[in-house]
Amino acid sequence: ADITICVTYFEIGRMIVEKEQDGKSRAEYGQGLIEGLSEYLNAKFKKGFSVVNLKNARKFYLTYRDKIGQTPSAVLSEQGKAQKRQTVSAQLPMLTKADKNEAETFDLIKNASSYFKVGWSHYLILMRIGDEAQRSFYEIEATKRQWSFRQLQREYASSLYERLALSRNKDEVMRLSKEGQTIEKPRDVLKDPLVLEFLGLEESPKYSESDLENAITGKLSQFLYELGTGFLFDSRQKRFTFNEKHFFVDLVFYNKELPCYVLIDLKTGDLKHQDLGQMQMYVNYYDRFVKKDYEKPTIGILLCGDKDDSIVELTLPKDANIYAAQYNLYLPDKAVLQRKLAEWVKEFEDEHGAADDKK
């Protein structure tokens, strides 16, 4: 049903743009056209064709027409059934000047029906993302992860694309728009910052690391979504004993994509070099006494309110499987992250352009 709605609105948008506007993105008489069409369709089909919906249909078509290539001329019917399909064009005589041949080209539906993988409500968000790379990323992720409308809304509002991109090497950023989030090596599990606005903690010095841990485990499913692909919860305050001394890891997860253990220690204040040394010990213990031969080395993450990358770099060896990530208790400023990412991408393009010139 969702795919049928997408194809129907895409086709209506096509007819508005291609037939009545001669392929232009906006007709001089567009508002009057939309209002008249809305009145006609609602009289015929009772509901579903408000002025807002028809404007969305037009935008939907303009956003996706180049990706789909061919345009559908029929409403999608159930796959595998040899039912006669009735075209939208045939139902809308006031809109289209389609001739009999166009009405009979039922196979044009295939491209659109195979392309649209999420619901109409999802596309209402996606088609308003101006950057094509970002839009492609969110569409891939929404399809692969089966995000609900609310989940897609939240991930976009939390700037997931920008956060993942800024947590990766520059030459890997372009993969996000083609493949979505992939987990192939330890650094791929990182987002910096992690956005924990769903915890409901106020940005103040009053909450403790214990409060933060309790809040996370109380909203565990949302925290797993925020961690990302392949994460499974193992335990909290996981105790291990070495030389008759007890140690406790705040949160232990397992990532089935790599696969490996992921240890998280929570720090509400500034990150100190002692914290990194402690995490190194935790990771060493898991690698030597817990990890199976077929599993990848354990990952350690210091999740902190603030961090100094120079301290991390100075304290840890280059090949350490330990990372520091900041967390925010509020949604990040998307414009700031977008500017930062644009600067990073430009640097990448300039570097590669200079390298190509030398060849």
Side-chain angles (χ1 to χ4, degrees):
D2 282 343
I3 306 304
T4 302
I5 292 171
C6 291
V7 175
T8 299
Y9 279 129
F10 185 86
E11 172 70 351
I12 291 174
R14 181 191 71 82
M15 288 188 289
I16 291 173
V17 174
E18 301 297 341
K19 297 300 180 181
E20 293 301 315
Q21 299 180 193
D22 295 326
K24 299 173 185 176
S25 62
R26 187 176 184 84
E28 294 179 4
Y29 52 92
Q31 183 64 26
L33 166 67
I34 295 294
E35 290 175 353
L37 177 59
S38 174
E39 184 178 343
Y40 171 82
L41 290 175
N42 280 322
K44 189 172 183 66
F45 298 105
K46 306 304 180 186
K47 62 179 182 178
F49 297 97
S50 66
V51 170
V52 172
N53 279 349
L54 294 185
K55 286 182 177 180
N56 284 332
R58 179 173 61 189
K59 184 174 182 63
F60 187 44
Y61 171 73
L62 290 171
T63 301
Y64 285 97
R65 61 178 174 180
D66 293 336
K67 272 188 170 292
I68 292 176
Q70 291 178 313
T71 58
S73 62
V75 176
L76 182 67
S77 60
E78 295 181 18
Q79 293 183 356
K81 291 186 178 181
Q83 297 177 340
K84 181 180 179 181
R85 299 186 180 99
Q86 187 176 27
T87 65
V88 174
S89 299
Q91 290 291 319
L92 309 178
M94 72 168 290
L95 253 188
T96 182
K97 302 171 184 176
D99 57 23
K100 185 177 180 181
N101 288 335
E102 182 185 20
E104 291 176 350
T105 55
F106 299 120
D107 60 318
L108 293 182
I109 194 68
K110 293 178 182 178
N111 280 348
S113 63
S114 62
Y115 181 87
F116 298 136
K117 301 296 185 183
V118 292
W120 173 244
S121 60
H122 293 70
Y123 284 111
L124 289 175
I125 297 175
L126 292 169
M127 66 185 177
R128 283 166 174 74
I129 301 175
D131 183 84
E132 187 174 347
Q134 289 192 44
R135 184 169 61 245
S136 175
F137 165 78
Y138 285 110
E139 188 172 5
I140 290 169
E141 286 295 293
T143 302
K144 286 200 304 186
R145 317 296 172 207
Q146 297 184 321
W147 285 347
S148 66
F149 165 77
R150 289 188 180 279
Q151 186 66 26
L152 172 60
Q153 193 175 43
R154 189 265 170 187
E155 299 297 357
Y156 177 66
S158 71
S159 303
L160 174 62
Y161 176 82
E162 291 89 348
R163 290 186 291 130
L164 284 174
L166 291 169
S167 300
R168 279 159 168 66
N169 295 330
K170 294 176 185 176
D171 57 353
E172 296 177 349
V173 171
M174 304 307 173
R175 289 184 63 187
L176 289 172
S177 64
K178 297 176 182 177
E179 303 175 25
Q181 184 182 8
T182 55
I183 305 294
E184 296 175 347
K185 56 186 180 301
R187 194 169 187 85
D188 291 341
V189 306
L190 287 186
K191 294 176 189 171
D192 194 7
L194 262 73
V195 177
L196 309 179
E197 91 292 346
F198 53 85
L199 298 182
L201 291 173
E202 294 183 7
E203 190 72 23
S204 72
K206 294 181 180 179
Y207 70 89
S208 65
E209 289 168 5
S210 179
D211 293 331
L212 179 60
E213 182 183 322
N214 288 333
I216 287 173
T217 53
K219 297 286 182 67
L220 191 56
S221 61
Q222 289 164 283
F223 186 69
L224 284 169
Y225 263 123
E226 175 59 13
L227 282 179
T229 304
F231 277 93
L232 303 171
F233 179 63
D234 181 280
S235 55
R236 63 181 292 191
Q237 290 299 310
K238 180 73 171 183
R239 189 180 80 170
F240 67 89
T241 303
F242 187 74
N243 282 352
E244 299 182 354
K245 293 182 179 179
H246 301 308
F247 301 93
F248 298 86
V249 186
D250 288 342
L251 298 169
V252 179
F253 294 87
Y254 193 84
N255 190 283
K256 61 182 181 180
E257 299 286 322
L258 285 174
C260 70
Y261 284 98
V262 180
L263 313 181
I264 296 181
D265 240 13
L266 305 173
K267 303 296 174 184
T268 56
D270 296 344
L271 184 64
K272 299 178 176 62
H273 69 275
Q274 295 95 327
D275 301 325
L276 293 162
Q278 178 177 266
M279 177 57 78
Q280 182 72 74
M281 181 187 67
Y282 293 169
V283 166
N284 288 345
Y285 179 86
Y286 262 74
D287 280 344
R288 295 171 189 177
F289 302 108
V290 180
K291 182 181 81 68
K292 302 292 191 300
D293 290 341
Y294 64 86
E295 293 172 329
K296 299 288 180 65
T298 304
I299 298 172
I301 298 176
L302 279 301
L303 191 57
C304 47
D306 195 13
K307 68 185 177 76
D308 185 336
D309 289 328
S310 61
I311 294 293
V312 178
E313 185 177 348
L314 183 63
T315 303
L316 296 174
K318 289 185 178 180
D319 59 350
N321 218 15
I322 297 171
Y323 306 92
Q326 195 168 331
Y327 68 86
N328 289 342
L329 297 177
Y330 50 86
L331 293 175
D333 188 325
K334 185 178 286 288
V336 171
L337 287 179
Q338 287 177 337
R339 284 197 298 271
K340 187 174 180 181
L341 180 58
E343 291 171 3
W344 199 8
V345 170
K346 186 176 186 307
E347 288 177 11
F348 172 80
E349 291 174 343
D350 290 345
E351 289 170 5
H352 277 249
D356 292 339
D357 291 340
K358 291 179 182 179
K359 292 180 180 179

